[in-house]
Amino acid sequence: MASSLAFYTPRVLLTGVAGITAIVPYIADYNETHVFNPRWPGHARFHNGQTMSMGSYLGVLTLWKTWRGGEKDNLLTASVIAAAYYITMGSAYYYPGATAWDPPQHFTVPYSHLYVVIPMLSIVATAFGLEQWRVTAQRSGEQKKAQ
C-alpha cells in the first residue's frame, strides 16, 4: 500500500495542478473584465486568448507526461511543464506598466497573483520531491536485493 501511495501521490498532485492550469484561466478571464471588456484593444484580447490557450495546452501536456508510462524522466518533465504557467505568471510583474488588475476591478492587495503562483509552485515542487524520494527508495531497495 505504501508503495502505491508513493507512486500515486506525486501524480495526483500534478493532475490537480494540470486541471487548475487548464481550466481556471477561462473561469478568470472569459468574462466582461477580460475577453468581453469593451475597453480592451484587439491586441490585448489576442494575448489574453493566447494565455488562456497556453494554460490548456500546458495542462494537457502535464497530464500526458504525468501518466505516460515508460520513461524515467516523465515526472521531471511533467513538473517542468506544470511550473511553466506559474513561473511566467510571476514574471509578468517585471514588465513595465504591468498591473495585476484593470478597471473596473479594484483590489488593494499588491502582487495578488503571487497567492496563486507560490502555492502552485509549492505543489509542483512537493510532487517532484516525493517522486525523487520514491525513486531513490526504490533504487536503494533494488541495490539491497542485489547484494
Side-chain angles (χ1 to χ4, degrees):
M1 179 67 169
S3 177
S4 66
L5 278 178
F7 176 80
Y8 283 108
T9 300
R11 286 163 176 76
V12 169
L13 291 172
L14 288 175
T15 298
V17 170
I20 289 167
T21 305
I23 297 167
V24 171
Y26 285 92
I27 294 170
D29 291 0
Y30 205 78
N31 57 47
E32 66 281 349
T33 65
H34 287 73
V35 172
F36 300 110
N37 188 336
R39 291 179 276 185
W40 273 34
H43 196 64
R45 293 170 200 258
F46 171 86
H47 281 292
N48 188 229
Q50 178 184 14
T51 301
M52 291 186 302
S53 295
M54 180 175 54
S56 294
Y57 183 80
L58 290 171
V60 169
L61 275 177
T62 299
L63 287 173
W64 175 58
K65 289 301 277 186
T66 297
W67 292 101
R68 180 177 169 229
E71 294 180 24
K72 291 182 181 180
D73 77 325
N74 276 349
L75 243 37
L76 169 62
T77 305
S79 297
V80 170
I81 293 167
Y85 191 78
Y86 303 97
I87 290 170
T88 58
M89 183 186 292
S91 73
Y93 287 107
Y94 291 99
Y95 289 91
T99 60
W101 306 102
D102 287 320
Q105 295 174 323
H106 177 71
F107 292 91
T108 58
V109 178
Y111 307 108
S112 56
H113 289 85
L114 296 181
Y115 289 98
V116 174
V117 169
I118 292 169
M120 295 302 280
L121 290 177
S122 297
I123 293 169
V124 171
T126 299
F128 179 72
L130 287 170
E131 178 65 3
Q132 289 303 106
W133 173 71
R134 182 190 71 80
V135 169
T136 301
Q138 183 180 24
R139 286 181 187 152
S140 176
E142 290 170 1
Q143 289 174 350
K144 287 179 183 178
K145 286 181 184 178
Q147 293 175 351

